[in-house]
Amino acid sequence: ELEVNTMIFIYICLFIVGIVFGSFFNVVGLRLPKNESLISPRSHCVNCNHILDWYELIPVFSYLFLKGKCRKCKQKISIQYPLIEIITGILYCLSFSIFGFTIETILSIVLVSMVVITIISDCKYMVILDEVLLFTTLIFIIVFPITGGFSYLLHSLFRGGILFLIMLIVKMIGDKSFKQESLGWGDVKLTFIAGMLLGFKLGIIYIFLGAILALPYAIYSTIKKSEGMIPFGPFLAISMLIIYWNSGLFYQFINILLGV
């Protein structure tokens, strides 16, 4: 009974940490692409510039308490804010559920954080933040020698570089074929992280799975005749998370394809 209560307590704590960080990720994903400070100005209503009091900044609960509207001007607050907070909390809990008390849980939480911010910034501004990619890479560089030694770190950097070059070649061919930018540089940089984390074989699967995930949205955009590029980063980031969480299953898939 004590063990069950302890696990419940851990999940509750992780969820709370997740929704708090999710609130911060909203700020990062919406402000950094515009070169705005994360500190100033203070959180405010985007419609009337009302500075939010502390009780209006409680993740999820403030949205429910305010019934999704600004306390001053009554303008609707975007559902994005509580959704990102709840999703981050759930994904943090899932990370622990999959990996338990291991260092992989830390890697998974870092990966989830990168994925959430990438979805926010790329969907809103078509930008994958270099600061977020660099932070994620540095965490991996610190953790990998702990999990597999210095040689493992070197191999992961090499695999990341190879996958980066492959994605770069795909971008160059696409740019030349379509006579416009086919992939953003953020997508190429993101692939370096995928190579580091997943390795070469799973990294290739990551590219194809990202394309498959993006296909329905691309078809929908074509039917609706939407103008502009489709943000590919969120689909690549989600693909990376899915494969990392199910790496054993995807390795089995690769072995079946190779007839091993």
Side-chain angles (χ1 to χ4, degrees):
E1 183 181 354
L2 179 62
E3 184 178 349
V4 173
N5 291 336
T6 301
M7 293 300 289
I8 292 173
F9 176 74
I10 290 172
Y11 281 118
I12 291 174
C13 289
L14 271 176
F15 183 75
I16 292 173
V17 170
I19 63 175
V20 170
F21 272 94
S23 179
F24 174 65
F25 297 156
N26 270 316
V27 176
V28 173
L30 294 174
R31 288 196 181 190
L32 278 190
K34 298 189 294 183
N35 294 316
E36 293 181 355
S37 169
L38 299 181
I39 302 173
S40 179
R42 289 173 52 193
S43 297
H44 57 278
C45 172
V46 296
N47 182 60
C48 68
N49 291 320
H50 159 64
I51 301 298
L52 303 183
D53 291 316
W54 67 268
Y55 54 85
E56 297 173 274
L57 294 170
I58 303 173
V60 180
F61 297 102
S62 289
Y63 183 88
L64 297 175
F65 174 74
L66 295 170
K67 298 179 181 179
K69 296 179 181 180
C70 172
R71 184 167 61 89
K72 290 292 184 181
C73 68
K74 305 304 179 183
Q75 183 77 13
K76 285 187 177 180
I77 302 170
S78 173
I79 191 68
Q80 170 187 319
Y81 296 101
L83 276 182
I84 289 295
E85 292 162 359
I86 292 171
I87 289 171
T88 306
I90 291 172
L91 293 181
Y92 275 20
C93 290
L94 284 175
S95 295
F96 178 74
S97 176
I98 294 169
F99 298 108
F101 292 100
T102 65
I103 202 162
E104 280 77 16
T105 296
I106 297 175
L107 292 176
S108 181
I109 286 175
V110 171
L111 179 58
V112 164
S113 303
M114 183 194 72
V115 169
V116 171
I117 297 174
T118 296
I119 290 172
I120 296 170
S121 65
D122 207 18
C123 287
K124 180 72 173 179
Y125 303 108
M126 296 290 290
V127 170
I128 298 178
L129 296 165
D130 286 339
E131 296 90 339
V132 174
L133 298 182
L134 179 60
F135 177 80
T136 304
T137 302
L138 288 176
I139 294 296
F140 289 173
I141 288 174
I142 293 171
V143 172
F144 282 3
I146 300 174
T147 58
F150 188 68
S151 61
Y152 176 72
L153 171 62
L154 293 178
H155 280 102
S156 69
L157 290 170
F158 176 75
R159 292 191 296 264
I162 293 297
L163 212 64
F164 174 89
L165 289 176
I166 291 174
M167 200 64 157
L168 178 59
I169 292 171
V170 171
K171 171 180 168 57
M172 292 171 65
I173 293 173
D175 290 355
K176 189 171 183 179
S177 299
F178 296 108
K179 293 182 171 48
Q180 63 178 2
E181 189 176 55
S182 57
L183 287 173
W185 279 106
D187 302 327
V188 180
K189 296 172 188 175
L190 189 65
T191 301
F192 173 80
I193 295 177
M196 280 190 67
L197 183 65
L198 304 176
F200 181 72
K201 291 181 180 178
L202 291 183
I204 296 297
I205 298 295
Y206 142 87
I207 296 174
F208 281 103
L209 179 59
I212 292 171
L213 293 175
L215 184 60
Y217 182 75
I219 294 173
Y220 172 80
S221 297
T222 302
I223 294 173
K224 290 291 184 178
K225 297 181 179 178
S226 300
E227 297 181 358
M229 290 182 62
I230 297 172
F232 192 29
F235 301 104
L236 286 174
I238 292 171
S239 169
M240 196 189 313
L241 185 61
I242 291 173
I243 293 175
Y244 183 65
W245 279 0
N246 301 278
S247 56
L249 182 64
F250 280 97
Y251 269 123
Q252 290 180 10
F253 174 71
I254 291 173
N255 290 334
I256 291 173
L257 288 179
L258 297 177
V260 177

